Amino acid sequence: MSIDIYWRIGTHGDQPSLRRRVTSRGEWAPVVPGSLAPGVRHGRRDGYSYVEHMADVARASEVSGFVGGLLPSFPFTDDPWATAAALARETTTYRFMIAYQPGFLHPVQAARMSATLQRATGGRLVYNIISGGGGPAQLWWGDRVDHDDRYARTSEFLDVLKGVWNGGPFDYEGRFYRVEGAGLPEPLARQPFPEIYFSGSSKAAIEAAGRHADYYLSWLEPFPDLAAKFAQVREHSAALGTAPKFAVRIDVLARETEEAAWDEIRRGWEHVDPSALASADGDSVGWLRSQSFVSWPVRHHRELEVSPNVWGGFHLLRGGPAFGLVGSYAQVAERLDELIGLGVGAFILAGVPHLEEAYRVGEEVLPLLKGHDVRVASPLTAALSDSRA
């Protein structure tokens, strides 16, 4: 089985490490001496932009063996569509997984944008379909649609997008969308349709994923719980006559020794308020699941290690999902191997800082994956991979 491994590209600045939760890369925080992209020289900004830094991360992960990069989308980030268009020219075969909420685009416009990007990049667009976590972040977009209806809207959106992809005329009348005689024109029609990575842990999400996902994408969870979730998705999808593959989004902190990796966590934990562990302001079922795996109270960082090398405190050190992998290079590779054994066919890995950790994980962890056909980004890295076999 071939394995696709993506790297996350931060679209909202970056930290210098997990030891302190401060932004020093990009102008998402005040630009001061010591900042990067832009930096400060002789009291003035040095002219280096954050998109150039994201291009550095894309090039670094491409040459380090990642097949592509996830471009996240939140109210506090750059737009991933525009970012992908800018970064495509800086890479060769690197794919761009664009995260977006279907509710904020019309599906015909999304189809036209996607086909244009496919035509311009040689088919390097991948979708990460998200339907929102509720709370203030949803209201920021002016979206007051309830949780389950957001997934119903997503499903209709993808029905229309697929319907117009190969040309028209295509008619559709649903609860959320209505089109008449729609269809992409030549030469946009019949471009390769982007692979769909579908996120969501609720029953409504799994139902929609069964209809549309190429990959059902989950945050990392304790492995038995993840296996049970995959079984639920398989059962529901089989009833619909589909069989999505599985992908997991994982933060990684890997060092030469296990002790060195946990020491990095310890240094970051010194600045953490453990009471923030349970904070949430939306209706995300995935977030509620992640909190259910923690035994309270938590007094020490190792109490969040729910199984060997699976640690549930990453969100306190850098924001985002709670669970990731901590350990030596060999241990992290072993855990990834175990996940592949559960049926995982793709990973979205991440590390802070994204630039340096892309090189580290690509050079030290990916070569340790055993017996798997890891799809790489370019002929250069393919040759390197072959030479290691």
Side-chain angles (χ1 to χ4, degrees), residues 1-6 65-68 95 197 215 245-248 336-337 339-349 366 369-377:
M1 178 172 71
S2 64
I3 309 297
D4 288 348
I5 304 183
Y6 290 81
F66 294 91
V67 73
R95 304 176 194 171
Y197 283 63
Y215 286 86
K245 294 176 280 189
F246 297 98
V248 185
L336 295 176
D337 271 328
L339 289 168
I340 293 170
L342 294 180
V344 174
F347 295 102
I348 302 170
L349 304 182
L366 298 193
L369 296 179
K370 298 175 182 175
H372 305 295
D373 176 18
V374 177
R375 287 206 281 181
V376 295

Side-chain angles (χ1 to χ4, degrees), residues 72-315:
S73 178
F74 296 101
F76 50 84
T77 65
D78 274 315
D79 176 74
W81 294 90
T83 300
L87 300 187
R89 297 179 66 85
E90 305 292 333
T91 53
T92 53
T93 62
Y94 196 76
R95 304 176 194 171
F96 294 93
M97 184 185 293
I98 293 178
Y100 71 101
Q101 294 195 45
F104 312 143
L105 280 173
H106 192 281
V108 178
Q109 171 64 4
R112 188 171 67 162
M113 291 166 56
S114 301
T116 299
L117 202 49
Q118 289 292 67
R119 208 159 76 92
T121 65
R124 291 194 274 153
L125 172 63
V126 179
Y127 289 152
N128 174 204
I129 299 294
I130 51 180
S131 298
Q138 211 66 29
L139 295 176
W140 186 87
W141 299 96
D143 187 19
R144 296 182 179 277
V145 175
D146 291 340
H147 177 277
D148 287 2
D149 278 346
R150 293 202 298 272
Y151 285 96
R153 181 178 61 188
T154 291
S155 192
E156 279 195 13
F157 175 95
L158 290 170
D159 284 341
V160 176
L161 198 158
K162 291 174 179 176
V164 303
W165 189 261
N166 289 324
F170 174 75
D171 298 336
Y172 187 91
E173 184 164 354
R175 286 177 59 201
F176 299 95
Y177 301 104
R178 178 180 180 179
V179 297
E180 296 179 15
L184 291 181
E186 298 290 347
L188 296 179
R190 286 176 285 282
Q191 291 293 320
F193 193 83
E195 282 189 325
I196 295 177
Y197 283 63
F198 198 104
S199 302
S201 294
S202 66
K203 181 180 178 182
I206 290 172
E207 288 178 355
R211 295 192 59 216
H212 296 291
D214 294 301
Y215 286 86
Y216 174 77
L217 174 62
S218 175
W219 289 345
L220 182 65
E221 296 181 354
F223 291 5
D225 299 277
L226 204 54
K229 182 192 281 188
F230 289 167
Q232 185 182 3
V233 173
R234 284 193 188 97
E235 180 181 1
H236 182 78
S237 300
L240 296 172
T242 61
K245 294 176 280 189
F246 297 98
V248 185
R249 155 86 172 86
I250 307 175
D251 269 72
V252 169
L253 198 159
R255 293 293 183 268
E256 187 168 358
T257 66
E258 181 180 15
E259 293 75 18
W262 283 113
D263 192 56
E264 284 291 306
I265 295 294
R266 179 192 61 76
R267 297 173 72 172
W269 186 260
E270 291 175 350
H271 303 282
V272 161
D273 175 8
S275 67
L277 269 169
S279 62
D281 53 14
D283 56 12
S284 168
V285 174
W287 177 255
L288 294 175
R289 278 177 64 92
S290 70
Q291 293 305 289
S292 72
F293 304 132
V294 175
S295 297
W296 308 93
V298 176
R299 295 171 292 269
H300 188 273
H301 65 280
R302 291 300 292 263
E303 293 174 345
L304 289 171
E305 187 182 11
V306 298
S307 60
N309 309 114
V310 179
W311 191 66
F314 273 97
H315 60 302

Side-chain angles (χ1 to χ4, degrees), residues 6-8 14-19 25 53 56-57 60-61 64-66 250-256 261 264 314 325 327 329 332 349-366:
Y6 290 81
W7 188 247
R8 182 183 188 274
D14 202 0
Q15 301 175 201
S17 74
L18 291 176
R19 299 173 189 172
R25 300 173 184 208
H53 182 73
D56 287 342
V57 177
S61 49
S64 297
F66 294 91
I250 307 175
D251 269 72
V252 169
L253 198 159
R255 293 293 183 268
E256 187 168 358
E264 284 291 306
F314 273 97
L325 297 177
Y329 301 139
V332 169
L349 304 182
V352 172
H354 291 72
L355 177 60
E356 290 88 336
E357 291 299 311
Y359 285 122
R360 185 195 302 274
V361 175
E363 292 174 358
E364 304 290 355
V365 176
L366 298 193

Side-chain angles (χ1 to χ4, degrees), residues 21 43 208 280 327:
R21 193 168 174 177

